Amino acid sequence: MNSDRIRQQFAFCLEMDKEKKIGRQTYLSDGVRKENDAEHAWHMAVMTLILSEYANEEIDVLRTISMLLLHDVVEIDAGDTYAYDEEGKKTQQQRELAAADRLYGLLPSDQKEKMRALWDEFEACETPEAKFARTMDNIQPAMLNAAAGGKAWSEKGVHLSQILERNKNTANGSEALWDYSRENFIEPNVKNGQIKKG
């Protein structure tokens, strides 16, 4: 056993525990508390196992799940940038790139390259796997927001136009899941006033 290698791997694994402390703006389905990044990643991984048949193109499910488990770890350093925080978005890329360098840099060089490549692939959103991962990243919070009675949307005063802009590429990974999300999660909350029109 290579003692340096396993020490680096455990250092990364221990650092990942901090993801459990990164709060998000999405409530759990019961609307009592908000989820954290680790819960978000786990939930999308399970959803991918169940919903991958609806991908527009055939995907490597394990690769997609790997992307989803890794894509938000940068928020350990960079923090969560709320989907509709226009000010935060201005520095998001810079903060997240620096975080990716540090966090994936904890790993042995071969794993650093592999994990960073998965993160870069997710960010580029060009492969079928990355497109589907992005679909999950947008649909999971919509599902939870709807289940919680639109509470987060209402609290933040979110407009339909903001949601549609945020989801402009969601159908690229799965037209069927975007249609379902729009019809079952978003439109009912526009009708009941939890999402503002316009």
Side-chain angles (χ1 to χ4, degrees):
M1 181 190 318
N2 181 328
S3 60
D4 286 339
R5 181 178 178 83
I6 197 167
R7 192 177 305 114
Q8 287 177 287
Q9 290 167 324
F10 269 108
F12 179 82
C13 291
L14 185 58
E15 193 73 1
M16 292 304 97
D17 185 63
K18 293 178 182 175
E19 197 175 2
K20 299 171 188 174
K21 297 179 184 178
I22 307 300
R24 292 174 46 80
Q25 296 302 313
T26 306
Y27 283 95
L28 298 181
S29 58
D30 63 6
V32 174
R33 73 166 176 89
K34 295 176 180 177
E35 70 177 351
N36 63 48
D37 269 1
E39 291 167 329
H40 173 62
W42 163 83
H43 204 177
M44 291 185 298
V46 173
M47 289 174 69
T48 297
L49 280 175
I50 303 304
L51 300 171
S52 59
E53 66 189 82
Y54 301 106
N56 291 343
E57 305 172 70
E58 188 171 332
I59 59 169
D60 179 328
V61 173
L62 179 58
R63 184 175 190 81
T64 306
I65 288 173
S66 298
M67 261 184 246
L68 289 167
L69 291 174
L70 290 168
H71 86 283
D72 274 342
V73 301
V74 294
E75 294 182 1
I76 290 169
D77 288 358
D80 176 58
T81 303
Y82 179 51
Y84 307 114
D85 175 5
E86 297 309 316
E87 230 8 76
K89 286 181 188 177
K90 291 176 183 175
T91 61
Q92 182 179 7
Q93 184 178 23
Q94 178 186 354
R95 288 182 284 117
E96 291 187 352
L97 283 170
D101 288 343
R102 184 188 82 79
L103 291 161
Y104 296 120
L106 296 171
L107 287 163
S109 60
D110 62 318
Q111 288 185 319
K112 170 190 170 182
E113 289 176 18
K114 182 179 180 182
M115 301 306 154
R116 176 61 187 264
L118 284 169
W119 184 78
D120 288 333
E121 182 179 344
F122 177 88
E123 291 298 309
C125 200
E126 293 172 352
T127 64
E129 289 79 11
K131 290 175 185 176
F132 191 80
R134 284 293 181 117
T135 297
M136 290 292 97
D137 198 28
N138 289 338
I139 286 181
Q140 186 263 358
M143 177 186 73
L144 289 182
N145 277 328
K151 186 175 178 178
W153 286 320
S154 178
E155 285 180 355
K156 298 288 186 181
V158 175
H159 288 76
L160 177 60
S161 59
Q162 292 174 286
I163 293 171
L164 295 178
E165 175 63 23
R166 168 83 176 164
N167 284 277
K168 64 184 177 186
N169 296 315
T170 300
N172 293 347
S174 173
E175 291 178 16
L177 294 179
W178 167 237
D179 288 345
Y180 188 89
S181 177
R182 195 182 64 246
E183 292 166 13
N184 294 276
F185 307 146
I186 297 166
E187 289 173 5
N189 280 281
V190 174
K191 288 178 187 169
N192 68 24
Q194 299 298 89
I195 297 169
K196 294 183 178 181
K197 293 180 181 177

